[in-house]
Amino acid sequence: DVKVTQSSRYLVKRTGEKVFLECVQDMDHENMFWYRQDPGLGLRLIYFSYDVKMKEKGDIPEGYSVSREKKERFSLILESASTNQTSMYLCASSPRGSGKNIQYFGAGTRLSVL
Amino acid sequence: QKEVEQDPGPLSVPEGAIVSLNCTYSNSAFQYFMWYRQYSRKGPELLMYTYSSGNKEDGRFTAQVDKSSKYISLFIRDSQPSDSATYLCAMSASTNAGKSTFGDGTTLTVKP
């Protein structure tokens, strides 16, 4: 059973804080993703990583950075949290090369920035 | 205009009803079509996957793809309260380097 684990279910942070969201997958997947999900806006891709130390900007990378030092772990960093980054953050992983691009999601981190 | 448009809902139906969830798309390169189900406060999970055109059935669920019309549907027969969730369509091309394009989701409530 594929497991994608996000380190926190709920986080409350203050404006200007540096925030780390951690994601770990146990299926040796090459691809990992960070999305944010907001009512009426659907899933929006923040960053994508297709290998260790490799990353690609998604649709809304501004205000975010990522780190992938190990294959199983993909971190999302909010350099200076702002209230408009209050959202549900979802991590996902998928195997490379199948073409299907089926993604396996974590349970999500609900972040509130006050 | 978005590459993938999903009927927005929300949908509310009585238990036992047949439900139809629909998405249209504009990118003719899409070959893989997925439906994810997302329960409240959880991450999406894959429900069904279809390659190219045609139908696929899994129990009470049928996924249908019409590439000529760029239209996909998910049918739920004999809907149950446990089917209450948000349903997301997703699509990808083999050239997408691992990425999928998601619809915004349709929230379904099945009332007992």
Side-chain angles (χ1 to χ4, degrees):
Chain A
D1 216 20
V2 177
K3 196 139 189 197
V4 179
T5 304
Q6 294 184 232
S7 54
S8 306
R9 291 300 307 276
Y10 301 95
L11 272 181
V12 180
K13 297 292 181 180
R14 297 219 174 269
T15 302
E17 276 193 77
K18 191 168 184 175
V19 181
F20 293 85
L21 303 183
E22 307 285 347
C23 175
V24 176
Q25 52 96 2
D26 66 358
M27 283 303 290
D28 203 35
H29 287 168
E30 289 79 11
N31 299 326
M32 296 189 74
F33 309 81
W34 275 107
Y35 296 90
R36 62 178 284 177
Q37 186 175 37
D38 300 286
L41 296 176
L43 278 175
R44 291 182 290 170
L45 181 65
I46 305 172
Y47 267 99
F48 163 55
S49 170
Y50 50 92
D51 207 342
V52 175
K53 298 191 189 296
M54 307 305 287
K55 62 186 179 185
E56 191 176 298
K57 290 180 181 179
D59 301 316
I60 52 163
E62 296 78 19
Y64 303 94
S65 62
V66 290
S67 172
R68 189 149 179 221
E69 296 296 318
K70 293 186 177 181
K71 191 175 185 180
E72 67 270 18
R73 187 179 296 269
F74 192 32
S75 302
L76 180 69
I77 303 150
L78 286 66
E79 297 291 342
S80 177
S82 63
T83 54
N84 63 12
Q85 292 178 311
T86 291
S87 186
M88 170 73 125
Y89 290 87
L90 288 161
C91 174
S93 72
S94 73
R96 184 193 298 160
S98 69
K100 303 173 188 177
N101 301 333
I102 293 170
Q103 295 183 21
Y104 299 85
F105 287 83
T109 296
R110 190 166 292 277
L111 172 67
S112 295
V113 182
L114 306 177
Chain B
Q1 189 183 357
K2 291 184 178 180
E3 263 191 316
V4 177
E5 300 275 2
Q6 184 166 359
D7 288 353
L11 271 180
S12 181
V13 301
E15 185 174 352
I18 296 173
V19 176
S20 171
L21 304 167
N22 307 296
C23 290
T24 58
Y25 63 95
S26 56
N27 186 346
S28 56
F30 287 148
Q31 300 170 285
Y32 301 95
F33 304 91
M34 284 74 70
W35 286 96
Y36 290 82
R37 178 174 60 194
Q38 184 177 19
Y39 289 116
S40 182
R41 304 191 186 284
K42 297 282 179 71
E45 57 179 352
L46 181 72
L47 183 62
M48 295 193 73
Y49 143 79
T50 313
Y51 172 71
S52 195
S53 281
N55 291 2
K56 186 172 185 177
E57 192 172 313
D58 183 3
R60 296 182 295 108
F61 298 88
T62 300
Q64 198 170 77
V65 175
D66 182 350
K67 289 194 76 179
S68 62
S69 302
K70 296 192 178 69
Y71 190 89
I72 72 168
S73 298
L74 177 71
F75 297 97
I76 307 174
R77 290 186 302 280
D78 187 25
S79 55
Q80 302 294 310
S82 58
D83 295 328
S84 298
T86 296
Y87 291 81
L88 299 154
C89 64
M91 310 179 188
S92 68
S94 56
T95 54
N96 267 22
K99 290 179 282 187
S100 294
T101 304
F102 287 83
D104 288 350
T106 302
T107 298
L108 170 68
T109 302
V110 181
K111 296 187 174 178

